[in-house]
Amino acid sequence: MRVPVQRQRRALRFNITPLIDIVFLLIIFFLVASHFVSSDETELIDLPTAAAASQEPPDIPRRLVITVSADGMFHVRGRELPDAELDALIATEGATDAAGLEVRIRTDRHALWDRVEDVMLACARAGIQKVRFAVIPEGQ
Amino acid sequence: MRIPTSHHYDDGGNEDRAMTPMIDVVFLLLIFFVCAATGKVQEAVLTSDLSGGSTESELATPEPQDFGEVRVYVQRQAGQTVAQVNTGGETYTDRNRLKQTLRLLASATTEVPMILDVRPDVPAGDVIDIFDTCLGAGFESISFAAGPGTAPARE
């Protein structure tokens, strides 16, 4: 007796569970990443170049990054800083440990020097000695 | 008569299909991060430590040079930034010539302090360029004068 064998054609199933997992993981990743992107280097400025530039030291101290844009505006942590608040901010940051605080000035090459000088004078008044200029190494 | 039925469910093909989207997304992420990393410019730093103590008071006129210090006056003339060294009085627009002069001065001793006296209307990029030139010439102590200084009149 011949036994009929039914060849069941299985429906083509596409398991999308891993895909959904990955998509949700990506969404969470970009949400968290965009939260941390509001950092000190978001302002697009034209940094000056320098041949004697050195790389950042491996042990990064407490650092305050002040960006001076081409129109002379100050930016700190992604937000614009009014001139009247500059001294107060630097004094507050340097109040706890002025010797250990590094102030990094990211200035546009077209910004006028008196704006940068304001920052340096505020640092001197607050007792902060470590001042660095952010530059792009020559050749890059 | 019992007709044999297949109990085990051969899922080998389906597992392969389930892995494919994950592999695709992983490769997409790899390409994304490679492309994002190549566009970023690494910033470096120029060190300019401020001297300890209070800020200097404004100088009415610069002191006569006594080779105890090298003072470089940076100002704007005819739409370009020029540097004048107090020792010779010559005005430099070319950074290489300025560097040669400063190297000669630094060859005597690098312990001579250098002071950059910059006018407020000078672009910051030019100031940093001159500061970089001074560092390249070998000076170890470079300070910035605060307040509007004036270059000595040329004789």
Side-chain angles (χ1 to χ4, degrees):
Chain A
M1 172 182 165
R2 185 183 172 196
V3 175
V5 176
Q6 286 187 344
R7 295 187 181 191
Q8 293 181 351
R9 291 185 65 189
R10 298 195 191 102
L12 205 70
R13 274 181 276 176
F14 181 70
N15 190 358
I16 64 169
T17 307
L19 181 63
I20 293 171
D21 289 343
I22 295 295
V23 167
F24 274 114
L25 201 66
L26 278 176
I27 290 172
I28 293 167
F29 169 76
F30 283 113
L31 277 174
V32 172
S34 64
H35 174 71
F36 289 109
V37 158
S38 60
S39 65
D40 297 318
E41 301 179 4
T42 53
E43 293 83 19
L44 289 176
I45 58 171
D46 189 9
L47 283 175
T49 56
S54 57
Q55 293 301 324
E56 296 183 23
D59 52 339
I60 300 173
R62 267 195 330 124
R63 181 185 295 151
L64 173 64
V65 180
I66 300 174
T67 302
V68 185
S69 55
D71 56 0
M73 299 301 298
F74 299 123
H75 300 263
V76 176
R77 296 187 188 111
R79 73 172 188 93
E80 209 170 276
L81 184 73
D83 294 1
E85 293 179 21
L86 176 69
D87 273 352
L89 172 71
I90 292 177
T92 305
E93 293 286 333
T96 49
D97 181 20
L101 176 67
E102 176 193 298
V103 172
R104 180 168 297 184
I105 304 175
R106 297 179 69 242
T107 174
D108 191 285
R109 62 174 67 230
H110 302 294
L112 294 182
W113 180 251
D114 67 335
R115 305 298 286 161
V116 180
E117 195 176 56
D118 290 343
V119 178
M120 297 179 74
L121 283 172
C123 292
R125 281 191 285 268
I128 298 167
Q129 296 180 13
K130 289 182 188 173
V131 174
R132 308 281 184 268
F133 292 107
V135 293
I136 295 175
E138 260 183 23
Q140 276 201 10
Chain B
M1 176 184 172
R2 186 182 172 197
I3 299 171
T5 56
S6 171
H7 287 286
H8 80 16
Y9 178 65
D10 184 9
D11 200 27
N14 208 13
E15 281 177 1
D16 291 341
R17 285 196 290 273
M19 284 289 291
T20 306
M22 196 164 72
I23 294 170
D24 287 343
V25 171
V26 167
F27 275 113
L28 199 68
L29 277 175
L30 265 172
I31 293 166
F32 169 76
F33 282 112
V34 166
C35 291
T38 50
K40 184 161 172 46
V41 177
Q42 189 65 28
E43 294 181 3
V45 294
L46 276 183
T47 303
S48 168
D49 289 337
L50 302 179
S51 56
S54 58
T55 54
E56 292 183 9
S57 58
E58 183 179 325
L59 294 175
T61 51
E63 296 295 326
Q65 55 268 23
D66 57 356
F67 293 101
E69 66 179 27
V70 175
R71 192 172 272 259
V72 178
Y73 300 94
V74 184
Q75 53 198 337
R76 294 287 284 177
Q77 278 183 10
Q80 58 181 352
T81 301
V82 299
Q84 188 176 359
V85 185
N86 64 337
T87 53
E90 189 178 347
T91 302
Y92 299 90
T93 54
D94 182 17
R95 299 286 178 263
N96 289 327
R97 285 189 55 225
L98 174 66
K99 197 170 187 175
Q100 287 171 5
T101 303
L102 292 177
R103 271 197 175 140
L104 281 174
L105 292 170
S107 62
T109 171
T110 56
E111 294 177 357
V112 172
M114 164 170 285
I115 297 175
L116 290 175
D117 204 335
V118 185
R119 298 283 296 173
D121 57 344
V122 178
D126 293 343
V127 177
I128 290 177
D129 192 21
I130 291 171
F131 180 57
D132 181 43
T133 303
C134 298
L135 282 173
F139 282 94
E140 296 173 354
S141 167
I142 304 174
S143 308
F144 288 93
T150 51
R154 300 178 73 174
E155 296 175 5

